[in-house]
Amino acid sequence: MANKMEDLLLDGRLFFGEIKTERDAHRKVTGKRFVRTGNLFFNYVSINQRFDEYHVGHLSEVSLKVKVYFTKDIHKSHKVEIENVMYEILTMDPDIDRKYIYLFLKKVGELDANDHIESN
């Protein structure tokens, strides 16, 4: 049996990581910074209202759905950056073959030139 051609994820590259709170010498919060811990190539995926509402609950919260290669490095607690826009992961849905994960993302802010988060 011939091997099935795998999907190439060519729409872009996302970064995932954590939000770190920055403080001054007096321990006063001065801002929040996005610290990258990894990156993945992705494809944008259209949202199927009938199927995806089961995974997310309220599709009105979903800003974006993307498909990435399966990895155990990314977790629901991570934040995701795509083109200087910050998202939180609402749900992660791996496919049955564990080749890909579908990420349902909600926009939470934007990044400035120094990776500081500017909330909406």
Side-chain angles (χ1 to χ4, degrees):
M1 182 173 163
N3 288 340
K4 185 174 113 180
M5 177 82 169
E6 289 190 28
D7 288 343
L8 296 178
L9 305 181
L10 301 175
D11 285 351
R13 185 170 71 168
L14 63 80
F15 297 93
F16 59 90
E18 301 173 344
I19 303 298
K20 298 291 183 185
T21 302
E22 293 186 329
R23 299 178 184 273
D24 63 10
H26 302 289
R27 303 283 301 149
K28 183 178 177 185
V29 175
T30 58
K32 294 183 179 185
R33 176 184 292 267
F34 177 63
V35 179
R36 296 177 176 127
T37 57
N39 66 80
L40 294 166
F41 290 100
F42 72 92
N43 275 351
Y44 293 106
V45 181
S46 61
I47 296 173
N48 180 335
Q49 187 170 3
R50 215 177 327 160
F51 176 75
D52 292 338
E53 199 164 40
Y54 169 76
H55 294 288
V56 180
H58 298 287
L59 285 178
S60 61
E61 295 181 4
V62 178
S63 304
L64 204 57
K65 179 180 174 184
V66 296
K67 176 181 180 179
V68 299
Y69 292 113
F70 184 87
T71 179
K72 293 183 179 182
D73 295 338
I74 191 167
H75 304 286
K76 192 173 174 187
S77 62
H78 283 134
K79 302 296 184 222
V80 173
E81 173 202 347
I82 299 174
E83 298 176 359
N84 291 328
V85 177
M86 185 62 48
Y87 298 92
E88 72 177 60
I89 300 172
L90 295 175
T91 303
M92 297 172 55
D93 180 30
D95 70 351
I96 197 160
D97 297 328
R98 300 266 190 218
K99 283 188 179 179
Y100 304 103
I101 303 174
Y102 296 91
L103 303 178
F104 295 83
L105 305 174
K106 177 182 177 182
K107 183 177 178 182
V108 293
E110 297 189 18
L111 292 179
D112 65 11
N114 297 319
D115 290 338
H116 287 98
I117 298 173
E118 300 170 2
S119 297
N120 292 342

